[in-house]
Amino acid sequence: MSTNDDKAKADALTDTGKQPEQDKPEKGNGASGSILFFFLVGLIASLLVGWVVFPELLYSKKKQPIDFNHALHVDMVDEGCESCHFFREDGSFSGVPELAQCIECHEEAQTDHPEEIKFVTQYVEKYREVPWLVYSRQPNCVFFSHAAHVRLAEMDCVTCHGPIGESTHSRIYEENRITGLSRDIWGRNIAGIKRNSWDRMKMDDCAECHAEAATKTASEGEAPIEGFFNNIIRIAFPGSLSGRKSSVQTQNEACFVCHK
Amino acid sequence: MKMDRRSFLSFLIGGAAGTTLSPLPWKLTDDLAIWSQNWPWTPVPAGGEVTFVETTCMLCPGGCGVTVRKVGDRAVKIEGTPGHPVNDGGICILGLSGLQLLYGPTRVPAPLRRAGGRGENHWEKISWDDALALVVEKLAALRENRLSHTLACISGTDGGTVGRLMERFLTAYGSPNFIRTPSMRDAYEMTLHLMQGVQASAGFDVENADFILSFGSGILEGWGSPVRMFRAHSAWKEKGVKVVQIEPRLSNTAAKSDKWLPVNPGTEAVLALGLAHVILKESLHRKEFVDFYASGLDRWKNEVISKWTPEQVEAVTGIDKSTTVALARSFARADHPLALCGRGKGSTPGSIGEFMAVHALNALVGNINRKGGVWAVPGPDYIRWPEVEMDATAAAGMQQPRIDGAGTEKYIFARHLLHRVPEMVTAADPSLVQALFILEANPYYTLSDSALLKKAWDKIPFIVSFSSFMDETAQNADLILPNHMYLERYEDVSYAEGFNKPYIGLAKPVIHPQFSTMHAGDVILRLAKALGDPVQKAFPWEDYEGCLDDTFGDALETLRETGYRVEADFAPGSGYPVFETASGRFEFIPEEIRDAGMQAMVQPQGEEPAFPLILIPFDSQRLANGYIGDPPFVIKTVPDTVLKGDALFVEVHPETAKAIGLSEGRAALLATPKGQARVRVHLFEGIMPGLVGIPTGLGHQAYDGYLAGKGVNANALMGPVEDGASGLNAAWGIRAKLSRV
Ligand code: SF4
């Protein structure tokens, strides 16, 4: 007993069976062509999304409350960056100046520049702190001591912060919508590639410098191959070879030197 | 080109490959990791410069110096100030929780006017100008009607500039009714006044004492200046100083003492007299003091010898006669023995007979104004404002007797008798108090006999609280004029409880006021100004800081720098100073009070058999029971055997519990002649049978959710018992009944 369905199946079978041999490669070529095509469409679209659209979406753009001219200020002060970004008596770093500091010079408007007027009327007169957006702000779990780097290791500001002192305007602050941090931490290059030491401020960047420094001092006198392996050990297990802890100051091990 | 299933898949694969080759997944993973390690809702203190401000704690009468650590504009930690004469770096649990009071939800944010019925806690924010105008209007009307004396102020402070400004305001306005909140200080001041003829507070040279005989004083529960006492206690342990604790319940102090003598409650004074008996009989007293500097010994000796033999003492106190004899001997033979009294934290004055008996013990061993003894510390002398020039109204008002009766014939030695006020207010019509100010006090919670208090409260038409916090009194006021809290204001602290040297601490603003509050001193000055002359004339200062400047003069600068001033070389140790009594000697039986003073015992309220047990309140360092309630940190330290959830546990001896049929944790009804409450039972062998111990400091209706509604207010179950001789509240317990529910 046969049903219509059975018949249809049988027809289909016959159809396939009847297909001329020479058609196969042609049809096969067409199929793989479209497969490749769609593969490429997917590939290119996702690359575009990943490289172009995603970074656009990830960061919101914000303007600083006051357009600040670093170059102008650096010219007028005696002690360079440290005139405003100074170390406190207890060795902690003051970071972005507070209003009280600015007021020392700007109790009244110094020029009739609109930004200067805005600063004085909106912040100085109302004694309101300026809500500066800090490009270099790290997540809260990071502990960083300026004193150790600037005072002890005698590094200059530019190494990490770049030539910000030469800027005449405040850049747009791009805020990562997920972390709330500035784009400067990951770096402007979304692939994370950097050309200058100040292009990124991620942990890898800290590690890079620290590994270099550790290698320089520790591996003196070691045979190249020995030095290579020892370096790996030094980075993975700080202090294990020298008996010295990662932090000279706190004598702390590994993670807790930099992580709270 | 059509998209079939295969091309769709390849599109996906292409997409996946492209995504992998793009920074998207790696960057996203990294960002999410950062986000998840720094949850944006977790509060992180703002960064900033770390600074330290040295100031004075005002949360209890301890007068400790504290150092507040700040980061930027935020106070982040309170610690004891090292080297401070009172607490030398130590701090108590309440003091270190001060920041929770500063930033917590119990602050009164602005002047508030009652919007609903009293106590309903509906408020309307009003401006300071309006708030002050309301008060001025009310006061001006009263004064005009010659009712100035019906303004009263209940104050937790009286020696410093703020307390004195308030008192001065009342004087210039025409009211004698400035009433300080009660404490053992009243009884000690009166004792020194009667026996030594001086107006002074009692200081104890605890650091140099070598034998401590404590009649129920909670040395580790917050008696005196608590941190100083903890430190002294540790030092005693190191030096092997013997501590004997006399009280009916095994408190922390008792548990850590060398000897605990569970005495029948309320009979401590009898034990003191029994010890005196032995000392006198065996002639162990220090003759060089007693013979040359004291008077009335013979009369007193006769009484003590005839009435209080060790046998009689045993019958009353329950302390074995041989123990009394041995204790008297070791006390008298120590080089610097020191007897202390004031039960628990000393928040109730106590009977003058008891204080005098204990003080007489110190005198017997010559330990008055001497190393390791009790020192009479003169009151603060830095406030030298000109006399108030009173107009006729003020003078007439000041002629009126005080509402609490203090200083009247019957209560001639008493200076403040707050416990009498509710009764007096309820008794008269119209109310003797038409307007009430409350400064640094929470009488609505701390006064006993709540039922009577509420009646009195209802009869007072206008109640103004100056509290920084929404405490019970503020909640039941008509108007709140919130003071800056102590970390936001200048104020001199003229006194550290029990400290043996004249001392001034300065509280300084650690941070800017967090709310729209105003210094109580400034409020007083503004009220005076608005009332016009003659009240205004008494206040020649622009503002409170001006008044402080004027009061201290150049000394203010040094006080600002160091945070305190202490007369370090104040030492009455070099010979005995002249006593200012009529005889010029120490009086064992002051003439003025000769019969009454020997009434050593005060009976608790209530009768058997309706109330077969006796309820005794007990204090703990973990429960603040004064003006300030426990902040969250502190209430967390209260053990489960005291408070579990909202349930309060009373302590009962297992035998007593068994007789009533109560077991550990069982719910029970605790009733006294003054009220009743549901409690749970904690069986405790450290409390004498027949007693019920109730912790103080709980049962708040106000403050925050950590404190309000937890446990039972012991004050509500108690009632004042007036000491016949002094008028002071001498209640140490009340008869009670505990029944199963
Ligand atoms: S003992 Fe009193 S004064 Fe001292 S820190 Fe504690 S609460 Fe403050």
Side-chain angles (χ1 to χ4, degrees):
Chain A
M1 216 168 72
S2 73
T3 63
N4 284 346
D5 277 0
D6 290 340
K7 197 159 178 277
K9 273 186 200 160
D11 287 351
L13 277 172
T14 349
D15 264 6
T16 327
K18 270 183 193 166
Q19 249 173 27
E21 290 280 309
Q22 66 269 33
D23 280 359
K24 265 185 191 167
E26 211 184 271
K27 242 198 163 171
N29 279 347
S32 56
S34 75
I35 287 171
L36 188 65
F37 173 76
F38 280 110
F39 176 82
L40 287 176
V41 171
L43 183 75
I44 291 165
S46 60
L47 285 174
L48 275 175
V49 167
W51 287 96
V52 183
V53 182
F54 168 64
E56 277 303 308
L57 289 178
L58 183 63
Y59 296 107
S60 66
K61 295 190 166 54
K62 291 186 173 171
K63 259 177 72 178
Q64 292 284 4
I66 298 288
D67 184 14
F68 187 83
N69 186 337
H70 267 100
L72 187 71
H73 283 84
V74 173
D75 268 354
M76 299 179 78
V77 295
D78 300 330
E79 288 168 41
C81 307
E82 282 207 36
S83 310
C84 299
H85 308 281
F86 57 89
F87 284 93
R88 301 189 188 103
E89 255 172 53
D90 64 358
S92 64
F93 186 66
S94 64
V96 179
E98 286 174 0
L99 187 66
Q101 261 168 267
C102 308
I103 287 181
E104 284 174 18
C105 302
H106 291 267
E107 195 156 13
E108 275 158 21
Q110 304 284 300
T111 64
D112 51 6
H113 191 283
E115 290 295 309
E116 171 79 10
I117 304 287
K118 184 168 145 198
F119 172 64
V120 171
T121 52
Q122 295 201 4
Y123 298 100
V124 177
E125 282 170 11
K126 295 182 183 160
Y127 207 79
R128 245 179 53 187
E129 286 295 335
V130 186
W132 297 113
L133 302 160
V134 184
Y135 301 103
S136 51
R137 188 165 66 83
Q138 289 284 337
N140 284 317
C141 57
V142 176
F143 172 79
F144 178 83
S145 162
H146 273 90
H149 293 84
V150 181
R151 288 268 158 94
L152 275 181
E154 295 177 352
M155 287 169 68
D156 58 5
C157 309
V158 178
T159 312
C160 300
H161 293 283
I164 181 102
E166 294 162 19
S167 69
T168 49
H169 291 281
S170 299
R171 283 186 284 130
I172 291 290
Y173 177 89
E174 291 184 64
E175 186 181 279
N176 186 313
R177 293 182 203 266
I178 300 173
T179 62
L181 302 171
S182 157
R183 183 171 188 163
D184 291 35
I185 304 302
W186 177 271
R188 302 211 49 78
N189 186 311
I190 194 72
I193 297 165
K194 65 173 181 183
R195 259 175 278 142
N196 303 305
S197 59
W198 58 82
D199 283 350
R200 276 167 56 96
M201 294 180 123
K202 292 283 293 172
M203 191 177 87
D204 306 353
D205 306 288
C206 306
E208 198 180 291
C209 212
H210 277 264
E212 233 173 69
T215 318
K216 237 188 257 165
T217 48
S219 55
E220 272 167 25
E222 284 172 354
I225 184 73
E226 186 193 3
F228 174 77
F229 285 113
N230 283 350
N231 276 345
I232 294 174
I233 300 172
R234 268 181 210 111
I235 292 168
F237 307 103
S240 55
L241 292 182
S242 58
R244 219 180 73 176
K245 307 280 182 176
S246 310
S247 165
V248 188
Q249 274 182 321
T250 61
Q251 292 295 303
N252 270 340
E253 265 302 354
C255 314
F256 294 110
V257 179
C258 313
H259 285 273
K260 291 191 249 186
Chain B
M1 203 178 297
K2 255 174 61 186
M3 189 190 252
D4 57 12
R5 193 173 61 93
R6 274 196 275 178
S7 26
F8 178 67
L9 280 179
S10 77
F11 171 75
L12 287 189
I13 293 167
T19 308
T20 321
L21 293 175
S22 85
L24 189 145
W26 323 113
K27 178 77 174 111
L28 261 187
T29 312
D30 187 76
D31 284 350
L32 287 173
I34 294 178
W35 175 70
S36 67
Q37 285 165 44
N38 300 277
W39 299 121
W41 52 84
T42 310
V44 177
E49 185 172 9
V50 174
T51 49
F52 296 88
V53 183
E54 283 174 3
T55 179
T56 303
C57 179
M58 295 181 72
L59 295 179
C60 90
C64 294
V66 290
T67 304
V68 184
R69 178 171 185 263
K70 282 174 68 183
V71 175
D73 261 345
R74 199 170 169 94
V76 296
K77 175 110 198 264
I78 303 183
E79 293 170 323
T81 306
H84 192 278
V86 174
N87 56 317
D88 187 16
I91 191 161
C92 83
I93 187 170
L94 178 61
L96 66 80
S97 308
L99 295 182
Q100 292 192 321
L101 294 168
L102 171 65
Y103 294 119
T106 59
R107 296 289 305 272
V108 179
L112 298 180
R113 177 168 57 188
R114 177 165 61 81
R118 249 196 213 156
E120 281 176 13
N121 216 8
H122 294 309
W123 301 95
E124 182 197 339
K125 269 191 195 175
I126 54 174
S127 71
W128 272 103
D129 286 343
D130 291 350
L132 295 177
L134 270 176
V135 182
V136 169
E137 188 190 339
K138 182 81 194 173
L139 293 189
L142 281 178
R143 199 168 202 273
E144 214 168 282
N145 295 329
R146 306 216 136 229
L147 287 173
S148 63
H149 58 282
T150 62
L151 167 67
C153 175
I154 298 175
S155 172
T157 140
D158 73 335
T161 47
V162 173
R164 289 289 298 278
L165 276 177
M166 182 58 99
E167 199 172 357
R168 189 175 177 85
F169 178 82
L170 262 68
T171 308
Y173 175 77
S175 167
N177 292 308
F178 177 86
I179 309 168
R180 188 178 74 191
T181 46
S183 72
M184 68 171 182
R185 192 173 163 191
D186 299 327
Y188 260 123
E189 280 176 358
M190 197 186 289
T191 304
L192 293 187
H193 175 64
L194 290 168
M195 299 180 112
Q196 298 179 202
V198 289
Q199 267 314 336
S201 24
F204 305 90
D205 190 12
V206 290
E207 289 82 1
N208 291 311
D210 64 0
F211 188 107
I212 306 295
L213 185 59
S214 150
F215 291 84
S217 300
I219 293 162
L220 296 177
E221 272 81 31
W223 183 92
S225 180
V227 176
R228 174 175 181 243
M229 294 311 293
F230 301 156
R231 300 181 71 92
H233 188 271
S234 312
W236 295 337
K237 293 278 133 190
E238 270 169 31
K239 288 191 282 189
V241 171
K242 206 165 172 192
V243 180
V244 178
Q245 181 72 1
I246 301 160
E247 61 176 322
R249 177 184 167 271
L250 185 74
S251 62
N252 275 355
T253 309
K256 298 211 168 169
S257 64
D258 297 277
K259 195 173 179 79
W260 168 46
L261 296 181
V263 66
N264 289 334
T267 66
E268 289 86 343
V270 171
L271 183 58
L273 294 170
L275 297 171
H277 174 105
V278 179
I279 293 173
L280 286 167
K281 202 150 185 208
E282 299 189 2
S283 227
L284 299 172
H285 56 282
R286 280 216 184 122
K287 288 157 203 85
E288 68 271 24
F289 175 79
V290 172
D291 294 349
F292 294 107
Y293 297 97
S295 106
L297 181 71
D298 294 340
R299 260 198 336 259
W300 189 64
K301 186 173 170 181
N302 286 342
E303 292 233 20
V304 170
I305 297 271
S306 64
K307 258 172 122 179
W308 300 117
T309 62
E311 291 75 18
Q312 285 156 321
V313 169
E314 180 173 338
V316 176
T317 63
I319 301 295
D320 184 71
K321 57 178 192 269
S322 57
T323 308
T324 308
V325 174
L327 180 58
R329 288 178 187 154
S330 39
F331 178 74
R333 283 176 188 151
D335 286 338
H336 302 288
L338 177 62
L340 308 172
C341 66
R343 284 179 184 77
K345 292 184 203 264
S347 24
T348 307
S351 100
I352 193 69
E354 182 177 318
F355 276 73
M356 283 178 24
V358 174
H359 199 51
L361 266 187
N362 285 313
L364 274 186
V365 292
N367 221 356
I368 306 292
N369 291 341
R370 202 175 75 113
K371 185 178 168 192
V374 185
W375 297 12
V377 182
D381 61 349
Y382 55 88
I383 300 180
R384 297 199 186 101
W385 301 332
E387 282 278 308
V388 175
E389 281 175 39
M390 285 186 272
D391 66 346
T393 317
M398 288 300 286
Q399 283 306 309
Q400 296 279 335
R402 280 170 64 101
I403 296 160
D404 62 358
T408 57
E409 201 179 332
K410 187 165 174 208
Y411 304 105
I412 187 80
F413 307 114
R415 294 177 57 216
H416 307 280
L417 295 170
L418 180 59
H419 71 273
R420 298 195 69 245
V421 172
E423 194 191 319
M424 298 305 288
V425 170
T426 349
D429 246 328
S431 163
L432 295 177
V433 179
Q434 289 293 318
L436 178 64
F437 285 179
I438 295 128
L439 176 68
E440 302 282 295
N442 186 10
Y444 202 84
Y445 171 82
T446 53
L447 276 182
S448 58
D449 198 349
S450 301
L452 185 69
L453 174 72
K454 284 189 183 119
K455 257 199 224 159
W457 207 260
D458 288 343
K459 286 190 67 182
I460 304 173
F462 187 59
I463 299 175
V464 183
S465 161
F466 287 76
S467 182
S468 313
F469 312 104
M470 196 47 111
D471 53 39
E472 281 80 358
T473 307
Q475 221 167 57
N476 286 281
D478 300 308
L479 187 67
I480 312 177
L481 305 178
N483 196 355
H484 301 327
M485 71 93 79
Y486 73 106
L487 295 170
E488 298 168 333
R489 68 175 192 246
Y490 275 114
E491 188 169 334
D492 48 318
V493 173
S494 63
Y495 173 72
E497 181 96 42
F499 190 55
N500 57 330
K501 286 166 196 157
Y503 161 79
I504 312 167
L506 184 69
K508 286 185 276 187
V510 172
I511 57 166
H512 296 295
Q514 299 290 294
F515 298 100
S516 169
T517 50
M518 194 188 287
H519 197 298
D522 282 318
V523 173
I524 297 167
L525 295 181
R526 283 189 57 178
L527 288 177
K529 194 171 263 177
L531 280 168
D533 282 338
V535 182
Q536 180 184 7
K537 242 190 5 224
F539 298 90
W541 307 287
E542 199 48 42
D543 53 17
Y544 176 70
E545 276 193 48
C547 166
L548 211 54
D549 258 339
D550 184 39
T551 308
F552 284 98
D554 297 341
L556 188 60
E557 218 22 70
T558 20
L559 199 54
R560 272 208 184 102
E561 270 162 33
T562 49
Y564 62 84
R565 191 170 88 189
V566 67
E567 252 178 68
D569 50 2
F570 174 77
S574 49
Y576 300 108
V578 189
F579 295 108
E580 289 169 32
T581 50
S583 60
R585 289 170 162 233
F586 182 93
E587 288 289 349
F588 276 99
I589 301 194
E591 199 52 43
E592 309 91 309
I593 203 166
R594 55 176 305 183
D595 302 327
M598 290 303 279
Q599 295 166 2
M601 280 186 296
V602 173
Q603 293 305 323
Q605 261 187 77
E607 300 295 333
E608 283 184 279
F611 299 104
L613 305 173
I614 293 179
L615 178 72
I616 54 166
F618 66 85
D619 299 342
S620 147
Q621 187 56 42
R622 298 171 186 211
L623 284 164
N625 64 1
Y627 160 47
I628 300 293
D630 259 9
F633 278 161
V634 188
I635 194 83
K636 273 197 154 188
T637 67
V638 175
D640 264 6
T641 49
V642 172
L643 181 74
K644 197 171 191 174
D646 291 344
L648 172 120
F649 285 74
V650 292
E651 292 177 353
V652 185
H653 192 275
E655 269 173 33
T656 311
K658 202 166 148 204
I660 313 172
L662 289 167
S663 51
E664 175 68 34
R666 278 291 295 268
L669 187 72
L670 174 64
T672 71
K674 294 296 175 193
Q676 58 181 43
R678 266 184 83 103
V679 294
R680 287 170 71 181
V681 170
H682 171 53
L683 303 189
F684 182 43
E685 289 186 339
I687 188 161
M688 291 171 73
L691 303 183
V692 182
I694 186 168
T696 58
L698 288 165
H700 276 278
Q701 302 299 317
Y703 287 100
D704 51 20
Y706 299 93
L707 189 59
K710 295 217 158 122
V712 174
N713 181 1
N715 300 315
L717 298 170
M718 300 276 298
V721 175
E722 202 162 286
D723 177 39
S726 63
L728 296 175
N729 177 15
W732 49 263
I734 188 164
R735 289 216 147 264
K737 183 178 175 179
L738 198 60
S739 38
R740 296 175 57 163
V741 286

